[in-house]
Amino acid sequence: MFLARSVFWLLAAYMVIRPGVGLDPAALTDHAVNAGQQIVAEQVQAIACESLQCAGGKAVLAAILPDASPAGQTMQVQPTVRDVPYPRPRLDRAS
């Protein structure tokens, strides 16, 4: 049974990450965000509203969802700032 499970998971991994298939993280991220926004928008539209407050909330959510964008640059893009140089320079009296 162990061997059968191992073969199954190795084949599943090979089908997902097979040679020659380019993995573009930016495209995958954009696709995942768009799919998530679509699902949330469909769920919001499926809510039955009887009050004006509920309808207003749905309108606000519908206006916000399509234009959602990242808040800023990711941590990997931001430059690192060092307060102290590394390694520290030797003092003149240490020579």
Side-chain angles (χ1 to χ4, degrees), residues 20-40:
V21 175
L23 296 175
D24 185 17
L28 291 175
T29 303
D30 290 341
H31 181 68
V33 168
N34 291 335
Q37 286 178 349
Q38 182 67 26
I39 290 171
V40 170

Side-chain angles (χ1 to χ4, degrees), residues 1-77:
M1 187 64 183
F2 174 75
L3 187 60
R5 277 188 285 170
S6 298
V7 169
F8 169 76
W9 287 115
L10 286 173
L11 286 175
Y14 181 77
M15 294 303 289
V16 172
I17 308 171
R18 59 183 177 263
V21 175
L23 296 175
D24 185 17
L28 291 175
T29 303
D30 290 341
H31 181 68
V33 168
N34 291 335
Q37 286 178 349
Q38 182 67 26
I39 290 171
V40 170
E42 290 172 2
Q43 294 297 322
V44 168
Q45 293 300 326
I47 298 172
C49 286
E50 297 178 2
S51 68
L52 183 61
Q53 185 178 8
C54 178
K58 281 177 59 174
V60 168
L61 285 175
I64 291 174
L65 281 176
D67 297 332
S69 60
Q73 294 180 344
T74 60
M75 185 173 69
Q76 289 80 11
V77 177

Side-chain angles (χ1 to χ4, degrees), residues 82-94:
R82 294 185 180 168
D83 294 334
V84 179
Y86 183 78
R88 292 183 179 173
R90 297 185 71 178
L91 298 173
D92 290 335
R93 65 175 183 230

